[in-house]
Amino acid sequence: MWFSLLASLSAAALIYLSDRQQRWLDRPLPTVVRALGVLMALASAALWVLTLGLGVGLMVAMWLLLLAVLLMSLWAGHYRDSFQKVNGKPGGVR
């Protein structure tokens, strides 16, 4: 179960960081990394299904992937977008 969790979170990170609109890196990771992330997400879903059964396993796999990508994008938006103040000015204004 811990390996399934690690694979799900790693897949979400790879998929997010290879997207062209991600905000953590200056440039997104190559598209090969996205394919690896999708394969890892499918493998982690299969591991969740083997561990918890078909219905619950698929639901856990989908929710973990969704929550991980959502929280990464919200976290990046909170710390990297322009609404943050830097020296009393919004972060996007220079």
Side-chain angles (χ1 to χ4, degrees), residues 31-54:
T31 55
V32 172
V33 175
R34 177 176 291 217
L36 180 65
V38 170
L39 288 175
M40 192 177 289
L42 291 173
S44 69
L47 288 172
W48 282 115
V49 167
L50 287 174
T51 304
L52 300 173
L54 183 62

Side-chain angles (χ1 to χ4, degrees), residues 16-20 22-29 80:
Y16 177 76
L17 292 175
S18 64
D19 186 39
R20 65 184 171 90
Q22 58 86 21
R23 296 179 296 211
W24 276 9
L25 305 174
D26 292 334
R27 290 187 300 150
L29 296 176
R80 303 246 345 202

